[in-house]
Amino acid sequence: MRNKQEQGFTLIELIAGIVVIAIVTLVVTTGLGQLFRQSVDPWQQVRATEVGQSLMNEVMARRFDESSNVGNQYLRCSEDGAKDCTVPDPCPTDGSTPNAEEAQRSQFDDVDDYNGLILDGAELSGSSTNRYKGFKASICVRDVESRTNQLKTVTVTVTTPQDESIEFSAIKGNW
């Protein structure tokens, strides 16, 4: 027959063991949480860069101004015989596009049309997969202070789900 002291653990020993395991688990998961955040940030930055570069390419592919002559590339706005270039309105923050003569983004034909445009994750994905869930993008077009109204600054700001903003800027010239 076995002795009573050799039969197993007491209740106090079991509770003490569970408490020790809980403390160790808490310390380990707290440390891993920081590693998780550090591993997600670069991934989101890459996604934001994809979005920003794609939008910047889309905007920069459009003509300089609504008054630019499409048929004759040698006649630009604000030159002899051409209409004056338009100056974009201040960039709105409500998602309205005050300079857009077209109703839909697919019909935008000059950089001013994009002024004030705000897109969310579903609109950025362009498909049902929503791979940019939680991302936002905004576009602002400003006239560069110049005597001849020949330059516009295009700024695309992409915000990640962690509220980190990444900004892309380019200058579109009237030439």
Side-chain angles (χ1 to χ4, degrees), residues 52-97:
Q53 192 63 48
S54 174
L55 286 173
M56 187 61 76
N57 288 341
E58 179 182 334
V59 174
M60 297 303 283
R62 303 300 185 256
R63 62 185 174 172
F64 177 78
D65 196 85
E66 190 69 33
S67 300
S68 296
N69 190 341
V70 178
N72 182 357
Q73 293 298 325
Y74 300 108
L75 187 61
R76 300 180 300 251
C77 61
S78 294
E79 289 187 336
D80 293 335
K83 295 179 183 177
D84 288 337
C85 295
T86 57
V87 176
D89 292 333
C91 193
T93 57
D94 61 357
S96 64
T97 52

Side-chain angles (χ1 to χ4, degrees), residues 64 142-144 146 149-153 171-173 175:
F64 177 78
R142 293 185 196 94
D143 185 42
V144 175
S146 66
N149 193 18
Q150 299 294 311
L151 300 172
K152 293 179 182 176
T153 302
I171 294 180
K172 179 78 172 177
W175 48 74

Side-chain angles (χ1 to χ4, degrees), residues 132-148:
Y132 297 111
K133 184 176 183 177
F135 285 82
K136 287 184 186 176
S138 63
I139 302 173
C140 190
V141 179
R142 293 185 196 94
D143 185 42
V144 175
E145 295 297 324
S146 66
R147 291 180 294 150
T148 58

Side-chain angles (χ1 to χ4, degrees), residues 160-174:
T160 68
Q162 303 288 347
D163 284 332
E164 179 184 6
S165 292
I166 301 173
E167 194 171 277
F168 303 84
S169 292
I171 294 180
K172 179 78 172 177
N174 187 23

Side-chain angles (χ1 to χ4, degrees), residues 39-51:
S39 68
V40 167
D41 285 347
W43 178 82
Q44 288 183 345
Q45 290 170 355
V46 167
R47 293 281 179 151
T49 303
E50 289 174 355
V51 168

